[in-house]
Amino acid sequence: MPDEQVHLFRNTHRVFPCRRISRGDGPVRDLPREVDVVEDFPVRAGEQEFDLYDYVSRNRLVGLLMLKDGKVVHERYELGIDAGTRWMSMSMAKSVSTLLIGIAIRDGFIGSVDDPLTDYLPELRGSGYDGVSIRHLMQMTSGVEWDDTHTDPNSHRRHMLALQVGQQPDAILKYMASLPRVAEPGTRWNYSTGETHVVGALVKAATGRWLADYLSEKFWSRLGMDADAEWWLEAPDGLEVAGSGICATLRDYARLGLFAMNDGRIGDEQVLPAGWIEESTAPREAGGEPLNYGYMWWPVPDAKGSFADGAFSARGIFGQYIYVNPAERVVLTVLSSRSKPKFAEAILDNHFFNSAVEALR
């Protein structure tokens, strides 16, 4: 029920064993407040029109931060959370995990996205992942069987969750290795949280580092974050659950969005390979069909269906989002506590994002 849910989502890092993502010892990066803040604007959803109050209340937001040109134009906390609350990210963590793949390529730990996955994870040889490239994995086009339905107790996703609760090291990767191939790699897209756990295993195998430590070293400790974050583990002292489970503050998620908007640069240093964000977030094809999915980022079309702005989002169930529009220099961060994992929103979030961009022009 609602009160219990909010309590859980703000304390999920206390439910599972976690590994700390250190913010380091550097100063906090200021997010200056724009003089003319935004209090309200029309939210257009097809033939309907709402306002900001509708979006916050009907979609059960707990946090909303809107940035234009790096300045705060709206900041709001609801349902008892505040700027210091670490809120669960759910699948927004997937987008962070593929950033680590890009950094591992730039660091020379991984050759390219077209390398066979089994070059780095030989324990997957002879499984459905034979012949699957790192690119296939990040696009979720491996062809390996998976049902990600959260509300079906017999789905692969629920079995994976049971393994998380069981806290047995390497159990999830072994489960992934047991799944059959149902399509040729690259020919069919199928959303799979299990694939992201394989991404985490890949990062660990290639770099020799835990994901939280590598993340902290490469950019979390260098972005002026407010606080340490936490990342759920599959078992005590085990691998991070790369498909979900980063717990951080609203403002720190927004700083992550700014990092992505700036193509993975920190000051004058190109931390990600140049162009990695554009490559990761662009629409593509799978099996000759349009695919509105990147390297575990979601391209976001504008109100006319165009992708010309290069807008994209990280998103997680129950309504967690980091929306980035590089052309308009807009970052929107949404934290929510919705009644169901998916489709519980009264107003589609993409409608809100496009309306916000229009209001901030």
Side-chain angles (χ1 to χ4, degrees):
M1 297 301 283
D3 283 350
E4 183 181 13
Q5 187 188 55
V6 170
H7 178 74
L8 175 63
F9 286 2
R10 67 186 296 175
N11 290 291
T12 49
H13 56 288
R14 298 183 172 95
V15 175
F16 290 110
C18 291
R19 184 167 289 114
R20 180 167 297 173
I21 306 169
S22 172
R23 69 162 304 278
D25 299 324
V28 172
R29 175 183 177 178
D30 184 36
L31 294 176
R33 185 172 295 274
E34 182 60 72
V35 174
D36 297 321
V37 297
V38 174
E39 296 295 342
D40 191 20
F41 53 85
V43 178
R44 296 182 177 87
E47 299 299 317
Q48 295 181 288
E49 184 172 301
F50 302 93
D51 58 24
L52 186 59
Y53 302 92
D54 291 325
Y55 179 68
V56 170
S57 60
R58 296 191 186 194
N59 280 17
R60 197 169 164 79
L61 267 63
V62 301
L64 173 62
L65 185 59
M66 301 171 56
L67 302 178
K68 171 72 172 180
D69 296 323
K71 294 182 179 181
V72 176
V73 294
H74 186 93
E75 185 171 10
R76 172 175 305 279
Y77 300 93
E78 298 288 338
L79 304 180
I81 85 161
D82 57 32
T85 300
R86 285 183 285 194
W87 193 262
M88 60 89 196
S89 63
M90 292 302 184
S91 290
M92 291 201 301
K94 292 177 169 64
S95 305
V96 178
S97 295
T98 58
L99 291 180
L100 297 180
I101 295 288
I103 292 173
I105 290 173
R106 189 176 186 278
D107 284 349
F109 293 118
I110 294 174
S112 81
V113 296
D114 294 315
D115 286 355
L117 179 60
T118 52
D119 284 359
Y120 302 89
L121 293 171
E123 59 266 48
L124 295 180
R125 290 173 185 159
S127 76
Y129 287 97
D130 268 335
V132 172
S133 70
I134 295 171
R135 187 193 304 273
H136 292 142
L137 182 71
M138 293 192 294
Q139 291 178 176
M140 296 189 182
T141 58
S142 70
V144 173
E145 183 180 70
W146 187 267
D147 177 1
D148 213 73
T149 307
H150 301 83
T151 52
D152 180 355
N154 297 313
S155 72
H156 297 97
R157 180 66 187 97
R158 287 289 290 272
H159 185 79
M160 178 182 171
L161 182 60
L163 294 175
Q164 287 178 239
V165 173
Q167 294 284 288
Q168 295 299 312
D170 301 322
I172 298 174
L173 191 62
K174 290 176 181 176
Y175 177 57
M176 298 305 298
S178 74
L179 300 176
R181 174 178 291 169
V182 294
E184 286 302 304
T187 64
R188 183 189 302 177
W189 181 74
N190 183 37
Y191 189 86
S192 170
T193 297
E195 303 274 66
T196 320
H197 196 78
V198 180
V199 166
L202 169 61
V203 172
K204 177 63 167 60
T207 67
R209 306 286 304 283
W210 295 119
L211 276 66
D213 296 340
Y214 196 50
L215 170 57
S216 173
E217 175 194 337
K218 292 300 174 179
F219 59 91
W220 198 271
S221 66
R222 304 174 59 200
L223 293 177
M225 298 303 200
D226 278 324
D228 295 340
E230 300 283 346
W231 203 333
W232 302 345
L233 304 179
E234 64 171 353
D237 300 318
L239 185 65
E240 292 83 353
V241 180
S244 60
I246 293 176
C247 302
T249 68
L250 178 68
R251 284 184 153 232
D252 287 347
Y253 287 131
R255 291 182 177 98
L256 180 61
L258 290 172
F259 174 67
M261 186 174 72
N262 292 322
D263 194 32
R265 290 190 302 273
I266 301 176
D268 295 330
E269 182 183 352
Q270 186 70 50
V271 177
L272 284 165
W276 179 265
I277 292 297
E278 183 177 359
E279 179 183 344
S280 297
T281 61
R284 44 197 13 101
E285 290 186 350
E289 296 295 325
L291 173 57
N292 191 18
Y293 195 67
Y295 296 165
M296 301 187 183
W297 292 87
W298 298 84
V300 179
D302 65 19
K304 297 179 180 179
S306 169
F307 293 95
D309 284 349
F312 57 91
S313 70
R315 71 190 199 190
I317 57 170
F318 296 102
Q320 326 313 322
Y321 289 89
I322 303 171
Y323 167 86
V324 179
N325 189 314
E328 297 288 343
R329 308 299 292 174
V330 169
V331 173
L332 308 172
T333 306
V334 172
L335 303 179
S336 313
S337 180
R338 298 177 188 170
S339 60
K340 295 290 188 296
K342 297 179 181 178
F343 312 123
E345 65 276 10
I347 301 166
L348 292 180
D349 297 279
N350 281 1
H351 287 319
F352 170 73
F353 300 148
N354 288 324
S355 298
V357 167
E358 181 179 346
L360 294 175
R361 283 196 172 108

